[in-house]
Amino acid sequence: MGTRLILHGISKKRHDRPSDYLFRDISAEVGEGERVAVIGTSGQGKTTLLRILARLDRPDEGELRLHGKSADGWKPQEWRKKICYVAQQPVMLPGSVEENLQTVSRLHGTPFDRGLAERSMAALGLEGLDWSKQGGDLSGGEKQRTALVRAMLLQPDVMLLDEVTASLDPGSKRAAERLLVDWSQSGGASLVWITHDLEQAAQTSDSVWFMDEGRLMESALTAEFFRGPSTEQARRFISRPDREREEY
């Protein structure tokens, strides 16, 4: 498995206290087809880190490299064709469901893969959704699943997923997990997935990034991490109940 994305010394200062760092000196790699679970308590900057990887935000220090080339050597549009970010709160663009699904083909001048769109929507339990319905009129869960399919139609090398199943019912959540893992395994897409669900992290990822105290405390294979974290912070984190884990 070759290396696809490299983070070297990525740091970000706090907006409210520019003299302090939200996180500092994060160095890691994402391999081809690798699925990475990003975990840690709220306030560690996990979303900010993903936004930096998508070039929607800028680091204060450090460098990103994609396919061996520095981010500065990529045009932003070309970078975002390779690396796609899916937010926790889905955004539906003006227009119908079908127009939302066609966004990628319109932006990049590529054919719309209706078959892939239909199969992916069906895999997420949306086979009966009326594509002429306005995107803004969908329920929260329908918006999240449609936004996920819309991103998948870009066929990026790296998908950045920010708690994308947090608002879904259990059945839809499992369907999304299966679809994403199958898609990664069959097509080689890399996934970097923020989640507070440790069961999800254990079942869907190859490796884990654990963030705490403004640092990347651990980067380990998933089985090794859950068998025995190397830091006391991670041991406390995985031993706490869900609500306490998010707050501590």
Side-chain angles (χ1 to χ4, degrees):
M1 180 174 64
T3 301
R4 181 164 281 165
L5 178 66
I6 296 174
L7 297 68
H8 180 67
I10 299 296
S11 302
K12 185 66 178 179
K13 294 182 178 179
R14 293 183 176 275
H15 293 297
D16 54 342
R17 300 195 304 274
S19 60
D20 295 335
Y21 284 87
L22 177 61
F23 52 76
R24 193 166 191 177
D25 197 27
I26 291 182
S27 296
E29 296 182 358
V30 180
E32 297 174 3
E34 184 179 9
R35 298 183 303 278
V36 180
V38 184
I39 63 174
T41 55
S42 298
Q44 295 300 319
K46 298 184 295 294
T47 292
T48 300
L49 178 62
L50 257 61
R51 288 181 56 83
I52 287 172
L53 299 186
R55 293 186 67 183
L56 298 173
D57 203 346
R58 293 182 62 85
D60 290 302
E61 299 166 6
E63 181 187 31
L64 297 174
R65 301 186 72 85
L66 176 63
H67 296 306
K69 184 166 70 172
S70 173
D72 293 337
W74 289 84
K75 294 180 180 179
Q77 182 181 19
E78 292 301 314
W79 181 277
R80 292 178 190 135
K81 285 174 66 176
K82 300 290 186 182
I83 300 183
C84 184
Y85 172 71
V86 185
Q88 181 177 0
Q89 299 297 327
V91 176
M92 288 291 100
L93 302 173
S96 67
V97 170
E98 182 167 4
E99 288 170 326
N100 268 269
L101 293 174
Q102 291 176 341
T103 299
V104 168
S105 58
R106 290 200 309 271
L107 285 176
H108 299 294
T110 57
F112 175 54
D113 192 337
R114 178 174 293 275
L116 176 59
E118 290 175 346
R119 292 192 300 274
S120 300
M121 294 287 275
L124 294 177
L126 296 175
E127 61 271 21
L129 186 65
D130 181 1
W131 284 22
S132 66
K133 189 174 184 178
Q134 291 295 297
D137 293 336
L138 300 180
S139 69
E142 289 171 338
K143 287 179 180 178
Q144 186 65 77
R145 286 175 283 170
T146 301
L148 186 57
V149 173
R150 183 178 63 194
M152 291 176 65
L153 289 171
L154 181 60
Q155 307 250 18
D157 290 343
V158 182
M159 182 88 87
L160 308 172
L161 306 166
D162 191 353
E163 291 277 9
V164 294
T165 63
S167 64
L168 301 182
D169 63 80
S172 297
K173 175 182 174 181
R174 297 305 175 203
E177 291 171 353
R178 287 194 299 270
L179 177 63
L180 287 163
V181 170
D182 289 348
W183 177 63
S184 172
Q185 291 177 334
S186 63
S190 304
L191 307 180
V192 182
W193 192 336
I194 295 174
T195 180
H196 281 290
D197 184 337
L198 295 190
E199 181 181 358
Q200 182 177 76
Q203 293 181 350
T204 63
S205 70
D206 303 304
S207 56
V208 170
W209 295 353
F210 171 65
M211 294 178 65
D212 197 27
E213 298 181 3
R215 294 182 291 147
L216 180 59
M217 298 285 289
E218 296 199 33
S219 176
L221 295 176
T222 299
E224 293 179 1
F225 177 82
F226 284 106
R227 186 165 53 244
S230 62
T231 62
E232 179 60 30
Q233 292 90 336
R235 288 191 286 272
R236 289 200 305 267
F237 178 78
I238 67 174
S239 68
R240 293 181 176 230
D242 289 345
R243 180 173 297 177
E244 292 182 19
R245 190 184 301 124
E246 293 185 19
E247 295 175 351
Y248 115 91

